């Protein structure tokens, strides 16, 4: 029984986070409210307050769980998978609300007084692990520090998607990410590896995280 | 007399924009108000409404005029000056309120319903012109498209400063920008040029824009 109660609580929490992401995505942080999120989630205000004390705390949760609904590209690990993940995020931003709202809140959080680096740490660690595989496979130049480049890539990616969002509603994001790699690769990848790398989105064959 | 009136109006407008930058920088967009900006500027509310109809319009003006108080590094034009400008912005963000508020508003504008790409276009054009000089001087690889790389650099820079702001209050920004160039240069610059480029901030010898 205790287990069932806990499962229900987790289910309700996840439902609230998804509803919050939808409301933040539709209205932006400033115009979103707890009551709108309660209505969207179809839960009681008491259920929301059981899990979250404020709109800010909900925003933190959406930022921290932005990859929960993501699928990750299948295929060989290493540098190609790093590239595929960055291209695939560009594609998934079109229809994955939790991802889109999470990234947008992480970028705009300063406007509502937050300074939460959890989302940036999450992406840095995810990319660093895959760069470590690329290192083992001999795909990276000696000059590359995997942690440093992962951090840099997260920052460069975040800004590239922001400019693409403001100037083109994300329509040209895939192209801009391919361009980012075009300029990064000579400073990152072993020369013989570069011609083998694909800078177009992978096939739709994906697997869950 | 007409000229004098016009000068006074321009002076008042500039004073209001600087006051707005200070208030946005102190309080963030959400907590800033026209009345606080009026008090800070030491002008009448009528003077503000003569120039600007809303807080949003003031935010647009701060974004568009973020480089007004900037000094630009002196020295030889070309790729070194592009690098020096990016390092110098990192330094000036510490004490130049108009620059800091302008960049922050450009990043966070989505939170208050704006989608204004003027600030991004301004920086792209400024860097593209200097990259064109680098091209004339034979410093760029054939593979580089100056406009494309200028656009990319503005996005990558914006995200890098955002992550530095959130994780370190901009303290490590100069280092992160040097790292950005470390990874970009092999894909951008002619090999013989790279050893001659300085990735540390220039001397304090600067000139006005």
């Amino acid at each position: 029984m205790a287990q069932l109660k806990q499962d229900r609580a987790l289910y309700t929490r996840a439902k609230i986070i998804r509803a919050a992401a939808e409301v933040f995505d539709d209205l932006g942080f400033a115009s979103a409210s707890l009551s709108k999120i309660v209505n969207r989630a179809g839960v009681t205000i008491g259920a929301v307050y059981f899990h979250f004390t404020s709109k800010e705390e909900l925003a933190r949760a959406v930022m921290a769980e932005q990859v929960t609904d993501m699928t990750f590209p299948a295929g060989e690990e290493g540098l190609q998978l790093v590239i595929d993940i960055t291209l695939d995020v560009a594609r998934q931003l079109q229809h994955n609300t939790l991802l889109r709202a999470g990234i947008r809140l992480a970028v705009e959080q300063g406007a509502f007084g937050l300074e939460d680096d959890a989302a940036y740490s999450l992406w840095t660690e995810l990319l660093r692990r895959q760069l470590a595989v690329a290192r083992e496979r001999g795909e990276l130049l000696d000059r590359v520090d995997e942690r440093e480049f992962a951090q840099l890539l997260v920052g460069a990616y975040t800004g590239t998607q922001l400019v693409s969002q403001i100037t083109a509603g994300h329509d040209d994001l895939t192209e801009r990410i391919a361009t980012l790699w075009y300029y990064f690769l000579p400073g990152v990848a072993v020369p013989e590896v570069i011609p083998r790398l694909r800078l177009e989105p992978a096939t739709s064959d994906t697997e869950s995280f």
Side-chain angles (χ1 to χ4, degrees), chain A:
Chain A
M1 274 303 278
Q3 183 58 44
L4 189 65
K5 252 190 171 165
Q6 207 181 0
D7 287 352
R8 264 194 209 141
L10 283 175
Y11 175 77
T12 304
R13 186 176 183 282
K15 199 156 74 167
I16 295 166
I17 290 175
R18 277 184 181 71
E22 287 172 24
V23 174
F24 288 136
D25 187 45
D26 282 356
L27 306 176
F29 181 85
S31 306
S33 67
L34 280 184
S35 68
K36 280 173 187 150
I37 293 166
V38 164
N39 285 340
R40 185 79 62 115
V43 298
T44 63
I45 184 84
V48 172
Y49 277 117
F50 176 77
H51 293 282
F52 305 99
T53 57
S54 65
K55 188 166 81 165
E56 283 74 14
E57 206 182 315
L58 262 166
R60 282 183 200 273
V62 171
M63 284 193 266
E65 305 207 7
Q66 60 183 256
V67 300
T68 304
D69 290 349
M70 258 195 85
T71 52
F72 281 79
E76 225 177 352
E77 301 222 315
L79 196 48
Q80 183 65 58
L81 191 54
V82 179
I83 295 169
D84 285 347
I85 290 171
T86 60
L87 292 168
D88 210 55
V89 167
R91 188 179 62 76
Q92 292 191 47
L93 271 171
Q94 306 296 331
H95 59 79
N96 183 329
T97 309
L98 190 52
L99 179 67
R100 187 168 57 235
I103 289 180
R104 189 172 154 186
L105 288 169
V107 169
E108 297 172 359
Q109 58 178 305
F112 40 91
L114 287 185
E115 269 193 5
D116 184 340
D117 66 357
Y120 297 101
S121 303
L122 180 153
W123 279 106
T124 301
E125 182 51 23
L126 194 151
L127 295 172
R128 189 202 59 74
R129 279 205 306 265
Q130 207 48 238
L131 286 165
V133 177
R135 165 68 70 205
E136 279 167 31
R137 291 166 53 103
E139 297 174 336
L140 301 184
L141 296 170
D142 286 346
R143 72 197 299 275
V144 177
D145 175 314
E146 294 97 278
R147 173 169 300 280
E148 181 185 72
F149 183 62
Q151 279 182 336
L152 190 76
L153 190 54
V154 168
Y157 192 100
T158 303
T160 302
Q161 74 78 28
L162 173 63
V163 174
S164 168
Q165 177 199 314
I166 289 172
T167 59
H170 279 150
D171 278 351
D172 61 359
L173 182 54
T174 306
E175 201 183 319
R176 281 178 187 254
I177 296 304
T179 305
L180 184 67
W181 282 111
Y182 172 80
Y183 287 106
F184 267 147
L185 282 178
V188 172
V190 166
E192 306 84 75
V193 169
I194 296 181
R196 293 207 304 267
L197 295 169
R198 237 184 324 97
L199 298 186
E200 295 89 47
T203 62
S204 60
D205 181 24
T206 59
E207 60 187 23
S208 283
F209 186 41

